[in-house]
Amino acid sequence: LENWSLQSALGQLQAKLSASEAESEAQIEQFLAQDLSLDSFLESFCQSRTRSHVCRTQLEKLQELLQK
């Protein structure tokens, strides 16, 4: 049961990371297409990248736990 829940958490973190990365890419595309102002882009992009970084860090730590 413990292994299953760790695997489930790993999958959820991977999905969350992928979604966050896709969101960042979409924000870049919107900014380059001039659909977002610089201020809006910077605010949303920084939030998105922070979420990605936190998620990536959690994912790496969980992977370390699973390897032990």
Side-chain angles (χ1 to χ4, degrees), residues 23-65:
E23 180 182 0
S24 294
E25 289 294 323
Q27 291 166 344
I28 290 169
E29 293 296 325
Q30 287 178 333
F31 177 70
L32 292 176
Q34 299 179 348
D35 292 337
L36 283 177
S37 69
L38 178 60
D39 291 336
S40 295
F41 169 73
L42 289 176
E43 182 179 338
S44 63
F45 186 74
C46 286
Q47 289 173 356
S48 179
R49 296 309 302 159
T50 299
R51 279 192 303 272
S52 291
H53 177 70
V54 169
C55 191
R56 184 181 322 281
T57 302
Q58 290 173 338
L59 183 62
E60 289 170 358
K61 293 294 182 182
L62 186 56
Q63 287 173 333
E64 286 177 19
L65 285 174

